[in-house]
Amino acid sequence: MRINYSDEKIVDSDKSIFLAGPTPRGENAKSWRVDACKKLEELGFDGVVYVPEYSSWKPKEDYVDQAMWEREGLTKASIIVFWIPRSLPDMPAFTTNVEFGYWLHSNKVIYGRPDDAVKIKYLDWLYKLDYNEKPFNNIDDLLKEVVKKVNSEEKIFSKDK
């Protein structure tokens, strides 16, 4: 597995996962992506994981540069995983709301959030409406499904949509 952080050039891969969702604000909040990457490694994922944070796990300072990196990674990703452990004020996920709506019709989104996430009712409703699926409420189950789908011979998602 290759982790592609936002302080690196985007790496192309036939099998790639973008970890979309809130980036912690402040020094005291730990990124959920650390555990997600460990879990993907344990599951034997052998593609590229796009992580929209620095390799030091700090968010980028340059807003436009970060936004452009994310746009390229989201476009190239085989699957976009939205894990939204929204909590206020540490992980508000306001940008995530826009990204979720923008990429939902790409036909390559898998969405989940913990049961205690706040203000996610509309995202749940949209996901059910467009994908006829309930959101995952456990990140381990979500990532197992992601690895299964990205490794599937029968491609459920298409980069061309």
Side-chain angles (χ1 to χ4, degrees):
M1 181 175 94
R2 162 87 156 83
I3 300 175
N4 191 180
Y5 298 97
S6 65
D7 56 348
E8 303 169 335
K9 186 177 178 346
I10 292 284
V11 175
D12 284 329
S13 176
D14 288 339
K15 291 188 340 186
S16 56
I17 298 168
F18 190 103
L19 295 181
T23 298
R25 304 292 183 231
E27 296 292 318
N28 295 328
K30 179 185 172 195
S31 175
W32 61 271
R33 293 181 182 101
V34 174
D35 291 336
C37 287
K38 286 178 188 169
K39 184 65 177 177
L40 288 168
E41 184 102 52
E42 288 171 16
L43 292 168
F45 179 64
D46 61 352
V48 171
V49 180
Y50 300 119
V51 172
E53 297 183 54
Y54 275 176
S55 54
S56 61
W57 294 102
K58 304 278 190 236
K60 270 193 172 181
E61 300 290 326
D62 183 327
Y63 181 81
V64 173
D65 186 44
Q66 177 71 23
M68 290 303 293
W69 186 95
E70 289 185 25
R71 185 174 178 91
E72 184 179 356
L74 287 159
T75 300
K76 291 187 177 204
S78 305
I79 293 183
I80 302 170
V81 177
F82 277 93
W83 178 250
I84 307 178
R86 186 190 322 271
S87 65
L88 300 172
D90 294 330
M91 294 222 279
F94 298 139
T95 302
T96 300
N97 284 349
V98 175
E99 287 175 337
F100 183 83
Y102 187 91
W103 292 100
L104 190 63
H105 293 283
S106 69
N107 202 32
K108 59 182 186 177
V109 167
I110 298 181
Y111 162 61
R113 81 300 183 273
D115 288 333
D116 63 351
V118 298
K119 305 211 177 270
I120 44 78
K121 192 184 303 183
Y122 186 68
L123 301 180
D124 288 0
W125 177 77
L126 278 178
Y127 189 67
K128 175 73 173 154
L129 181 69
D130 284 6
Y131 284 72
N132 199 30
E133 299 278 349
K134 287 184 178 182
F136 286 83
N137 66 355
N138 175 297
I139 194 165
D140 287 351
D141 293 340
L142 171 67
L143 295 174
K144 284 178 193 169
E145 184 66 15
V146 167
V147 170
K148 181 175 128 188
K149 287 186 185 220
V150 82
N151 286 331
S152 172
E153 292 293 322
E154 175 189 330
K155 293 296 179 192
I156 296 168
F157 303 103
S158 170
K159 288 185 181 182
D160 299 328
K161 289 189 177 183

